[in-house]
Amino acid sequence: MRRFEPQTRQEAVQALFLYFLLYSVIGWIYEVFLEVVVYRWGYSDRGVLLGPYCPVYGVGALAFLLCFGWLLKKRGGALFRWVVRPLALFVGCMAVATAIELVTSYILEALTGAWPWQTYVDYAINFQGRIALSPSIRFGLGGLLFLLVLQPLFEKLVEALGSRRKIVFWVLVVIFALDIVATVALSLG
């Protein structure tokens, strides 16, 4: 399968930002799905911003792409394609996402006094209630889904935008920036 390869730095930044937003929205949908359908807690906005996105998922997906993009491009035999690459991606995504969640919890706690997700203190294997093995395994599986299934689709989508990519990029940058400003303004009262 031919992959979308940005030709300029500007195209690369545009594509990465669009991927960031797509994964952030998917992360928000996933979080809401867990709360409403799986845990039956009812709806609550799972994002830290006003819009329907969880930026930590976008950051995680970009980290996966930057850390493991080379592995996606690497060619190999059947053993590599069906065993080695998926296993390496699973473990790598699990470690990267868990590190991001841990660091994010400390940053948000320093900025806001708390982190905006439930603690993992009730999980059998956890660290300070901030990270736990069970979610880390889900992060690894999610990373596989992101990199092996969704990313090729997103690359096709971004490539299909063609000359409209720049307009879509700037409209979404403005919306996202306004959301950040509004969220900060509301939190400051």
Side-chain angles (χ1 to χ4, degrees):
M1 172 194 328
R2 191 174 82 71
R3 300 185 73 84
F4 170 65
E5 293 290 338
Q7 300 302 308
T8 66
R9 184 181 303 236
Q10 183 181 30
E11 285 181 353
V13 168
Q14 291 169 1
L16 289 173
F17 181 76
L18 293 174
Y19 299 152
F20 165 80
L21 275 184
L22 286 166
Y23 287 117
S24 295
V25 168
I26 286 174
W28 183 85
I29 292 168
Y30 170 72
E31 290 285 333
V32 170
F33 174 81
L34 284 179
E35 280 204 343
V36 172
V37 177
V38 176
Y39 302 134
R40 299 185 190 279
W41 293 339
Y43 173 81
S44 69
D45 186 0
R46 296 298 296 158
V48 294
L49 300 174
L50 298 174
Y53 28 71
C54 290
V56 71
Y57 282 85
V59 169
L62 291 185
F64 296 163
L65 288 171
L66 296 174
C67 290
F68 309 116
W70 65 273
L71 191 55
L72 295 173
K73 296 175 186 177
K74 187 172 173 62
R75 300 215 179 264
L79 180 66
F80 176 77
R81 284 192 323 266
W82 296 104
V83 177
V84 174
R85 181 179 11 219
L87 186 59
L89 288 173
F90 170 75
V91 171
C93 289
M94 191 171 102
V96 167
T98 301
I100 289 170
E101 184 170 48
L102 181 63
V103 169
T104 301
S105 76
Y106 285 118
I107 291 170
L108 289 174
E109 185 177 31
L111 294 175
T112 67
W115 62 90
W117 55 85
Q118 80 280 0
T119 68
Y120 298 125
V121 293
D122 294 332
Y123 286 67
I125 301 172
N126 74 78
F127 174 72
Q128 296 181 348
R130 296 172 186 273
I131 56 173
L133 181 61
S134 175
S136 295
I137 290 170
R138 288 196 308 265
F139 295 153
L141 294 172
L144 286 175
L145 175 70
F146 281 12
L147 293 174
L148 300 179
V149 177
L150 295 178
Q151 186 58 29
L153 297 174
F154 290 170
E155 288 174 1
K156 287 180 183 178
L157 175 66
V158 168
E159 185 173 31
L161 289 172
S163 61
R164 297 179 309 254
R165 180 174 46 250
K166 187 175 186 178
I167 295 167
V168 171
F169 166 78
W170 282 111
V171 167
L172 292 174
V173 162
V174 168
I175 290 170
F176 193 72
L178 288 172
D179 191 332
I180 292 171
V181 169
T183 301
V184 170
L186 287 171
S187 72
L188 295 176

